[in-house]
Amino acid sequence: MSQTSVRLLRLLRLLQTPDDWTGPQLAEKLGVTTRTIRKDIERLRGLGYIHAVPGTAGGHRSPAPHQRWTRPS
């Protein structure tokens, strides 16, 4: 499995936790830059794995492992 795929899976797993993460925290946890985190978030959004939550307390969320989303049309 490629390094990028492993990182995306690790990022998705972190986003499935109930914790709120900042970009810098995710970058530090995964050992990459915040720019890489932004690109990975966009990749996961494009694939329908996560969605943006608007507002001052917003961010990006992933469903819990037992939940399933349908991809928006």
Side-chain angles (χ1 to χ4, degrees):
M1 190 177 291
S2 78
Q3 196 172 20
T4 301
S5 297
V6 170
R7 187 181 64 245
L8 288 173
L9 290 172
R10 288 183 64 208
L11 175 58
L12 187 57
R13 186 70 178 144
L14 287 172
L15 293 173
Q16 289 176 332
T17 66
D19 301 322
D20 289 329
W21 297 89
T22 65
Q25 288 172 327
L26 290 169
E28 182 179 337
K29 187 83 171 166
L30 297 174
V32 296
T33 65
T34 55
R35 181 176 183 204
T36 299
I37 292 297
R38 284 192 305 270
K39 290 166 94 175
D40 288 351
I41 292 283
E42 287 306 312
R43 186 174 291 143
L44 290 172
R45 282 182 68 197
L47 294 170
Y49 286 106
I50 61 175
H51 71 282
V53 178
T56 56
H60 292 86
R61 301 286 186 270
S62 174
H66 64 278
Q67 293 176 320
R68 187 175 180 114
W69 286 344
T70 55
R71 190 172 186 179
S73 45

